[in-house]
Amino acid sequence: MQHDPAIIAGVTLALETAINETISLSLGTREALAQKCGACIAIYCSSPEVSVYFFVNDSGTVSLQNYSEAEITVSLSGSWRDFQTVAAANDAAGALVNSNISVTGDTAALIEIQQIVSDMDIDWEAPLVASLGHVAGHQLANALRGFWRWRTDSHRRISRQVSEFIIEEGRLSPSKHEIDAFLSDVDDIVLKVDRLESRIKRLQRQLKPASEPS
Amino acid sequence: MHETSTDDTTDFGYERVRKEEKAGRVREVFDSVASRYDLMNDLMSGGMHRLWKRFTIELSGVRPGQTVLDIAGGTGDLAAKFSQRVGPDGHVILADINAAMLSVGRDRLIDKGALNNISVSQADAQFLPYADNSIDCITIAFGLRNVTDKALALRSMYRILKPGGRLLVLEFSKPTSPLLSQAYDAYSFSALPFMGKLITNDADSYRYLAESIRKHPDQETLLEMVEDAGFVDCRYHNMTGGIVAIHRGVKG
């Protein structure tokens, strides 16, 4: 289905504005992105059928387009669900490797940009101070920072405790170490089976001339 | 139906006027609305004209160092964007037949500090005063319907484009859904003149706008006209349900 270009242009404009506003709050990110000036990441979504091109500008900002004829550095193709899964994953790089998304082009550039984005250190205090003043802005920023730290710590703690309960106390799932050992054993068996198969084939070849003289 | 030259009259909205009169009548309209043109565009389209122009720029595929001609460029919003795209080695020509619109456009561009690679030129789209094969990309946004002889203007654009250069015509067109068409008609013939009266104290100019849109060729007819002018690889994209369409042609 062909989407209305004006609607897509509206979405990309809103997204571009939000991304650039966020980048402007992280000076380091802007400088790092400027080093990647000229890079173009194309995202081809098959369902719904939408193409979005991310261009990195020399000022460290990003431009989004839904049509481009420029040279593409790296392209990612997949369905909306695939992209959503990768975006929501804790380990985006690992999720990308194991997903149905196909990556074409210079993957090193993609990894570098992904690293820049994950290293983003946003100074949320600046816009709060600008709109609320120094005292109220600083206090609100401190409160938000405290809440964010509590949320991150709680999330990490709960995840660890749930994981410990499932693996150690409930024995509901094997530990990572046990899975690794099991997979290693499976690999050994696969190798041994391969070797056995080739030995059988060799023996069959050796026996053939004796039983079937030509 | 194509616009033909069998008689010496042409459309001015729903009126028939002599061909030599149309440019003067159109000039009066734009003289009247020039100072509030952008504000009216935002109000009338609910800001959509920015998205239509954004897609036009994307479709242009303009690269640094190229030469772009923005015909009927009026207040210079497309020219300012192209100026960033072509960079210091490129060149953008903002052209319009109307001096009042050009004056507003030039002032805007000066305010934006965007005149270093832009030149401003008063020119008639039918007789473009530029060398053959000299322009990489031509855009005409919401201007073709005001041109007296559209076929002549398209041939003039073809002449000055470099081989491989592209033409982009952004213009009001025919809504694809009958329901949208009815709502659009109601809006154009009642709300537009009212807004025009309120903002620019000129309801007639905005009545002309609505009428001229109805008299403008629909998507398929304009596509044929672009092909007849000699362009190849011609296609169009409907936007906002066909209220606006962008036609693209390449000089072979």
Side-chain angles (χ1 to χ4, degrees):
Chain A
M1 187 189 150
Q2 192 75 30
H3 296 279
D4 194 317
I7 293 171
I8 308 289
V11 173
T12 54
L13 176 62
L15 202 57
E16 179 185 292
T17 310
I19 291 172
N20 286 330
E21 282 293 322
T22 311
I23 290 172
S24 73
L25 299 176
S26 174
L27 191 63
T29 305
R30 200 164 176 167
E31 284 168 2
L33 274 178
Q35 304 288 316
K36 305 302 300 171
C37 162
C40 170
I41 300 174
I43 293 182
Y44 302 120
C45 185
S46 54
S47 159
E49 202 181 325
V50 179
S51 305
V52 181
Y53 302 84
F54 291 75
F55 290 91
V56 181
N57 304 321
D58 54 0
S59 56
T61 55
V62 174
S63 302
L64 268 67
Q65 294 186 191
N66 65 334
Y67 178 88
S68 172
E69 293 170 11
E71 194 179 328
I72 291 159
T73 311
V74 59
S75 68
L76 295 99
S77 316
S79 68
W80 172 251
R81 190 179 286 271
D82 296 330
F83 286 113
Q84 214 176 10
T85 309
V86 171
N90 284 331
D91 176 15
L96 180 63
V97 171
N98 296 314
S99 71
N100 293 326
I101 294 173
S102 73
V103 183
T104 314
D106 180 6
T107 48
L110 181 69
I111 292 166
E112 283 170 34
I113 291 171
Q114 195 265 334
Q115 193 59 49
I116 292 169
V117 173
S118 59
D119 289 347
M120 195 183 274
D121 181 19
I122 300 165
D123 176 17
W124 293 110
E125 192 165 330
L128 288 175
V129 165
S131 53
L132 298 173
H134 285 281
V135 177
H138 177 67
Q139 282 177 346
L140 184 59
N142 268 346
L144 288 173
R145 259 195 298 269
F147 171 75
W148 185 255
R149 209 175 300 122
W150 170 82
R151 186 199 161 279
T152 314
D153 288 349
S154 304
H155 183 259
R156 199 184 305 126
R157 244 189 340 263
I158 289 169
S159 299
R160 199 186 63 236
Q161 284 168 359
V162 168
S163 161
E164 271 175 16
F165 173 78
I166 290 171
I167 295 165
E168 305 295 341
E169 293 179 29
R171 300 298 296 169
L172 300 171
S173 166
S175 68
K176 187 175 180 299
H177 174 72
E178 286 167 324
I179 291 173
D180 287 345
F182 173 74
L183 291 176
S184 172
D185 287 347
V186 170
D187 286 344
D188 280 349
I189 292 170
V190 169
L191 276 174
K192 282 175 182 166
V193 168
D194 285 347
R195 286 194 198 109
L196 185 63
E197 189 184 2
S198 20
R199 190 174 291 173
I200 291 167
K201 280 182 183 164
R202 198 168 64 241
L203 284 171
Q204 278 176 336
R205 276 199 303 273
Q206 283 171 356
L207 288 171
K208 247 183 197 170
S211 58
E212 296 170 16
S214 55
Chain B
M1 284 283 287
H2 285 217
E3 188 175 14
T4 54
S5 304
T6 48
D7 62 20
D8 64 347
T9 64
T10 188
D11 296 319
F12 177 77
Y14 286 162
E15 258 184 81
R16 293 295 293 179
V17 296
R18 285 192 301 125
K19 279 185 175 173
E20 55 270 29
E21 262 180 50
K22 178 164 174 172
R25 298 281 297 270
V26 170
R27 192 184 63 236
E28 284 169 20
V29 167
F30 284 92
D31 280 349
S32 159
V33 302
S35 60
R36 303 238 168 140
Y37 185 75
D38 280 350
L39 173 68
M40 276 304 290
N41 278 349
D42 275 332
L43 281 175
M44 289 184 306
S45 70
M48 287 300 289
H49 74 106
R50 294 175 191 277
L51 302 179
W52 298 329
K53 286 171 183 168
R54 184 181 165 94
F55 184 61
T56 306
I57 290 166
E58 289 178 10
L59 216 54
S60 72
V62 164
R63 296 189 299 275
Q66 291 193 324
T67 304
V68 179
L69 171 65
D70 181 24
I71 303 173
T75 51
D77 44 359
L78 271 182
K81 299 277 184 202
F82 278 127
S83 159
Q84 293 168 359
R85 284 227 162 193
V86 300
D89 297 331
H91 185 208
V92 179
I93 305 164
L94 168 63
D96 203 301
I97 195 170
N98 188 284
M101 293 291 286
L102 270 184
S103 170
V104 173
R106 188 173 47 197
D107 290 350
R108 289 258 161 89
L109 292 170
I110 291 170
D111 291 347
K112 286 180 184 170
L115 267 174
N116 58 335
N117 59 355
I118 302 179
S119 54
V120 177
S121 159
Q122 188 171 6
D124 185 339
Q126 300 167 109
F127 311 100
L128 293 165
Y130 310 105
D132 294 4
N133 307 315
S134 59
I135 308 283
D136 293 292
C137 177
I138 296 178
T139 54
I140 176 165
F142 306 113
L144 191 65
R145 70 177 189 284
N146 298 316
V147 174
T148 307
D149 188 339
K150 296 173 185 66
L152 181 62
L154 290 170
R155 286 199 299 275
S156 177
M157 293 172 204
Y158 183 84
R159 177 184 63 77
I160 63 168
L161 265 178
K162 287 178 186 173
R166 65 182 62 177
L167 165 72
L168 293 163
V169 181
L170 178 66
E171 191 52 271
F172 290 106
S173 208
K174 196 171 184 302
T176 48
S177 140
L179 199 66
L180 178 64
S181 189
Q182 280 178 12
Y184 180 52
D185 274 350
Y187 172 75
S188 315
F189 288 102
S190 51
L192 284 192
F194 175 72
M195 277 197 270
K197 177 79 184 160
L198 211 64
I199 308 290
T200 63
N201 196 27
D202 180 4
D204 290 343
S205 293
Y206 287 91
R207 194 166 298 113
Y208 161 74
L209 172 77
E211 291 176 4
S212 65
I213 291 169
R214 299 309 180 281
K215 297 301 285 185
H216 186 67
D218 65 11
Q219 288 90 330
E220 288 298 330
T221 312
L222 184 56
L223 187 72
E224 272 179 42
M225 289 173 73
V226 174
E227 283 168 344
D228 289 350
F231 289 94
V232 294
D233 196 16
C234 301
R235 63 186 73 167
Y236 67 84
H237 300 263
N238 280 328
M239 291 193 276
T240 320
I243 287 176
V244 163
I246 178 160
H247 285 70
R248 193 192 82 155
V250 177
K251 181 169 177 176

